[in-house]
Each structure stands twice: as C-alpha cells, then as structure tokens.
Amino acid sequence: MADQCTTCIGRPGTIRNPQRRRELLGVDANGRYDEGHTVCHATLDGNPDSLPAAVCAWIAQHPQAAAHSLALRMAAVTGIEYISAPGAAGDDASG
C-alpha cells in the first residue's frame, strides 16, 4: 500500500496489546524479525473495491519489519507497485 488506511492496524492506539503488535510486525520471542509481512485488511479477498492483495503500509514503512520481509525484498527486485486504499491520505478518489 502507498499509505496507511484510515483504519490501519498500525495507527497509534489501534493495537493496545504490545505482544500482538510485535506479532504483526513479525517479531519472534527473541526479538528477531521474521521473513513475513502483514496483508492490508483493505485488500483481503472479497474487498468491496476489488483491490489486489497488498502488504500493509505500516509494515512496508517500518524500518525493521520492511527490511526483513521477503515479500518486500522480492518486490524491490521485481518492481513495486503502490496502490492507495479508498479514503487513505493521498488518494485522489479518481480511481
């Protein structure tokens, strides 16, 4: 995603449980980041805007999580296509 959705799980105050926040960032019990990523909830199957699945902008912009994400490293090599969720900052609403 090009930017965080208005309902992004990474926005301050959305996840109050620190353990869940670490899990979503891909941090294991030893404090190491895994190779994963979190899919943006606005792009899950059946989303009303027919957006393709995308990595959450919170993860993609996180300095440690992004650097360790295999999906983002592969996209950096093959080309990253940024999409904006409807209603997100920077969305021009023109589709």
Side-chain angles (χ1 to χ4, degrees), residues 55 60 66-82:
V55 174
H68 288 88
S69 170
L70 179 59
L72 290 172
R73 291 196 316 269
M74 288 175 57
V77 171
T78 60
I80 295 177
E81 179 182 343
Y82 292 96

Side-chain angles (χ1 to χ4, degrees):
M1 297 303 286
D3 33 42
Q4 287 185 339
C5 305
T6 56
T7 56
C8 182
I9 59 172
R11 290 193 181 277
T14 56
I15 302 173
R16 301 196 177 165
N17 180 322
Q19 177 59 33
R20 182 66 179 136
R21 190 171 191 83
R22 286 189 296 275
E23 289 170 356
L24 289 169
L25 284 170
V27 180
D28 68 17
N30 296 317
R32 293 182 301 248
Y33 286 84
D34 63 20
E35 295 283 313
H37 62 278
T38 297
V39 176
C40 172
H41 70 282
T43 68
L44 294 173
D45 283 342
N47 72 76
D49 300 298
S50 299
L51 295 171
V55 174
C56 174
W58 173 50
I59 303 299
Q61 296 167 1
H62 190 276
Q64 290 84 22
H68 288 88
S69 170
L70 179 59
L72 290 172
R73 291 196 316 269
M74 288 175 57
V77 171
T78 60
I80 295 177
E81 179 182 343
Y82 292 96
I83 58 174
S84 290
D91 181 22
D92 65 6
S94 64

